[in-house]
Amino acid sequence: MDELNRKSVEEFKRSDKTAVIAVLENIRSAYNVGSVFRTADAFLLEAVYLTGYTACPPHKEIKKTALGAEESVEWKHFPKATDVITVLKENGYKVYAVEQVVNSHQLQLVGFNTNERI
């Protein structure tokens, strides 16, 4: 883990976070969930919210790909995505859906406001 130059769990929790919460809805692969945890750790995201049948920690496949990020990144599980969206909007977050489909906008070209909670 030293070669990854990652913050310890304590350092991560004390660090200023990026005002982004990733919401995962009905993700079949626990390995993909672990990958999002690792990405959230790398970019100091505020949290990862899991919905539906998405696997939750502790889970061996999440642990394998998250490499400990499931311990540092805050996460919560909600039964339905609509529950999460309601909570986020009530707390001043702007909600975006991300999907690869015909006519979708390229994420890197979206003009996010740096003051937004996403």
Side-chain angles (χ1 to χ4, degrees):
M1 293 302 234
D2 290 337
E3 59 269 8
L4 293 176
N5 198 28
R6 285 185 49 209
K7 295 178 182 294
S8 69
V9 172
E10 296 77 25
E11 290 171 324
F12 183 89
K13 291 187 185 284
R14 285 192 311 265
S15 296
D16 290 334
K17 306 295 184 300
T18 305
V20 173
I21 296 176
V23 178
L24 306 181
E25 179 188 21
N26 295 333
I27 304 299
R28 294 187 191 281
S29 169
Y31 294 115
N32 287 343
V33 176
S35 175
V36 171
F37 271 95
R38 211 164 83 212
T39 302
D41 181 89
F43 287 95
L44 289 170
L45 298 190
E46 207 170 296
V48 174
Y49 288 174
L50 310 167
T51 69
Y53 58 73
T54 302
C56 298
H59 190 288
K60 98 176 176 177
E61 293 170 357
I62 292 174
K63 187 172 188 65
K64 184 172 184 172
T65 52
L67 298 175
E70 77 283 11
E71 300 294 329
S72 58
V73 176
E74 179 184 330
W75 66 273
K76 294 179 185 175
H77 180 267
F78 294 81
K80 299 182 299 189
T82 53
D83 298 336
V84 177
I85 292 167
T86 299
V87 168
L88 291 172
K89 286 183 174 182
E90 286 173 353
N91 287 290
Y93 286 84
K94 188 158 185 184
V95 177
Y96 294 89
V98 179
E99 182 65 73
Q100 293 178 335
V101 294
V102 175
N103 297 324
S104 62
H105 300 281
Q106 292 184 15
L107 193 57
Q108 69 270 24
L109 299 180
V110 176
F112 295 106
N113 181 334
T114 56
N115 297 324
E116 285 180 328
R117 298 172 80 193
I118 300 172

